[in-house]
Amino acid sequence: MIRMTKSADYGIVLMTQMAEQGGRVFKAVELSAEAHLPHPTVSKVLKLLARSDLLESHRGANGGYSLARHPDDISVADIITALDGPIGITECIDDAPGECGREPLCPIKTNTQRINDVVRSALESITLSEMIPDTLPLVRLGDHGAGSTARLQ
């Protein structure tokens, strides 16, 4: 089974929560309570997201975290990569060419890379804005006049 880590899952939940509530500053403790996640874990995830420039950290009495970019400019892949490292379905994707001792004998290397590319591309195509509940992407309607749009159902 292919799964992302709890950290990546929590990161997506927290950042979606932040995107849904607009461009304000959030304290870790309030995000933790709203998401029903342990405060120490939330604090750790927020720090990692800030280090990756997905969140801005604000110090002081009114400090906390805010999104560093508009939700349309943050992909699910950005969040996963910030928390889990490079996206790949196999361990060998992390190895540089020539580092894996089995590489010359690997019969599936090319196809595994294709699968990794498809998974990464799919996650890059989903924005944080699209993760907000009840937010569906607009699609252009074919024969209903120029500029007609509708939400996917």
Side-chain angles (χ1 to χ4, degrees), residues 132-145:
I132 297 171
D134 300 325
T135 301
L136 298 169
L138 286 173
V139 293
R140 189 166 300 284
L141 300 176
D143 297 322
H144 300 290

Side-chain angles (χ1 to χ4, degrees), residues 2-24:
I2 301 171
R3 285 190 179 181
M4 67 180 139
T5 65
K6 283 185 183 181
S7 291
D9 184 27
Y10 293 170
I12 294 167
V13 167
L14 295 168
M15 289 192 67
T16 299
Q17 198 173 323
M18 294 170 80
E20 184 176 26
Q21 295 182 33
R24 66 182 189 88

Side-chain angles (χ1 to χ4, degrees), residues 37-67:
L37 297 173
H39 181 260
T41 303
V42 169
S43 292
K44 177 183 174 185
V45 167
L46 294 175
K47 286 176 187 172
L48 290 170
L49 292 168
R51 259 191 237 138
S52 296
D53 297 325
L54 295 177
L55 296 179
E56 290 181 5
S57 176
H58 306 274
R59 296 189 181 271
N62 295 321
Y65 295 90
S66 62
L67 295 178

